Amino acid sequence: MLLISVIIILREVLEAAVLISIFAVLARHFILPTRSLKLGILVGVFAALLYALNLRAISSWFGGLGQEVFNALVQFAIFFSLLLVSVYFVSVKQQQSLPRRFGEVVMFTVAVLSISREGSEVFLFVSGFSAGDPQLGAVMAGIALGAGIGFSVGALTYFTLVHFPISKSFYFLLCLLGLVGAGMVIQGTKLLVQADILPSRLPLWNSNDVLNENSIPGQMLFAIFGYESTPSSIDLIAYFSAILLFVSSIVAIHLWRRGSRGVSLV
Amino acid sequence: MHNRIILNLVVLNFLIGLSSTLKAASTIELEIRNHLFFPSTLHIPARTKVKLLIYNRDSTPEEFESYELNREKVIMGNSKAVVFIGPLPPGRYPFFGEFNPKTAQGEVVVEE
């Protein structure tokens, strides 16, 4: 039970931990306050509880498809928020920053959404144990351990990335945000296929021989980047559309900011 | 009056036809009882979409999950949920209950 609890919590915490640590690196380099991140974490935990408490009702929406619709929308919202975060930081790097409040709001939004989505499963898992259950001790210990490992991975990510000079690491960090975002889109797409809202198709290939989705690295890649060993055409269209949209937005904000700077110099 | 009814039926049929595949997906029922799946092995035809109707007879929530099938859904205690799977190539696709992975295990066997 201890090990099961550790694994459940770890998988949920990992994704949010990596995202938040990337934001922390960017905030550190651009001397931005991190209060929006901290507030986002707090609100995210409450939102997770709220979601878990209302899941029965949410699941019954849309004729039983409420869970998939709601979760998919959250995934897509995280993607768009990540896109906006990246656009914001490009503007900061170009020294023509969009309003700081904008950057804070989008980072806050990503923190809340990603924690509430993952965190709700932790609350649901715990809700299955009654107050006097002898296994509750092991469950709580497992949660603490899993969360600890997750936070450690986040901290490791932070301390590894923050050491690189921002001029070198900036686009690498944006790539990470883009890949995580595209992973969100593919996960949201799979939920809509599960609910038969999007069409289902045969998988196009199977890369389990190269990297098994069930292996530890496979599970970590799945949790953070949405790694899919048997994608269908729908998955690929969604994924590459997300990448395209993300890259286009970065290019657009580059050109726009540089363009207006050029005009003001004249 | 009759023409209006017929028109409505035709439009309805058209819309339903648009939103579904050539034939409606067949339904298979799955039960969760005492943190176990009944049946633990499901057989479905290859390259076919199938509707899984999952009844959670336990009072605690369970999450039906499978990496191979790419499905995850939380089913609250004493509730039912619908999950569509397929089309899939032939093979064996394990699934598990994430909240009780030691006991809640099953497999979807896809055969021609």
Side-chain angles (χ1 to χ4, degrees), chain A residues 4 8 11-12 55-56 64 67-68 121 124-125 127-128 190 194 196 200 202 213-214 219 228 230, chain B residues 47 49 60-61 63 65 67-68 70-74 76-77 79 84 86-89 98-99 101-102:
Chain A
I4 290 166
I8 289 175
R11 281 167 42 171
E12 310 305 345
L55 188 56
R56 189 178 291 272
Q67 203 183 123
E68 285 93 339
E121 288 193 23
L124 286 164
F125 172 62
S127 75
K190 282 194 272 190
Q194 172 176 303
D196 205 25
S200 54
L202 279 165
E213 237 184 282
N214 269 314
Q219 284 198 33
E228 174 53 58
T230 56
Chain B
R47 290 175 281 279
K49 185 168 70 178
T60 57
E63 182 170 8
E65 188 159 351
Y67 287 113
E68 288 81 357
N70 287 318
R71 297 292 181 262
E72 68 172 330
K73 187 155 187 174
V74 174
M76 300 304 289
S79 299
F84 285 89
L88 291 161
E98 193 185 350
F99 298 158
K102 283 228 168 73

Side-chain angles (χ1 to χ4, degrees), chain B residues 30-40 54-58 62 95-97 100-106:
Chain B
L30 189 58
E31 263 197 7
I32 299 169
R33 245 185 297 129
N34 298 321
H35 310 316
L36 292 162
F37 286 111
F38 294 98
S40 56
I54 308 173
Y55 293 93
N56 185 359
R57 305 286 186 209
D58 291 339
E62 183 60 270
F95 56 85
F96 59 98
N100 298 279
K102 283 228 168 73
T103 55
Q105 292 177 19

Side-chain angles (χ1 to χ4, degrees), chain A residues 198-245:
Chain A
L198 283 177
S200 54
R201 294 280 180 270
L202 279 165
L204 287 170
W205 68 68
N206 185 333
S207 61
N208 273 317
D209 294 333
V210 178
L211 178 60
N212 196 313
E213 237 184 282
N214 269 314
S215 64
I216 303 288
Q219 284 198 33
M220 285 186 58
L221 273 188
F222 170 78
I224 302 169
F225 298 111
Y227 169 66
E228 174 53 58
S229 58
T230 56
S232 71
S233 53
I234 309 289
D235 299 326
L236 293 174
I237 291 169
Y239 190 80
F240 287 109
S241 302
I243 300 273
L244 194 64
L245 190 60

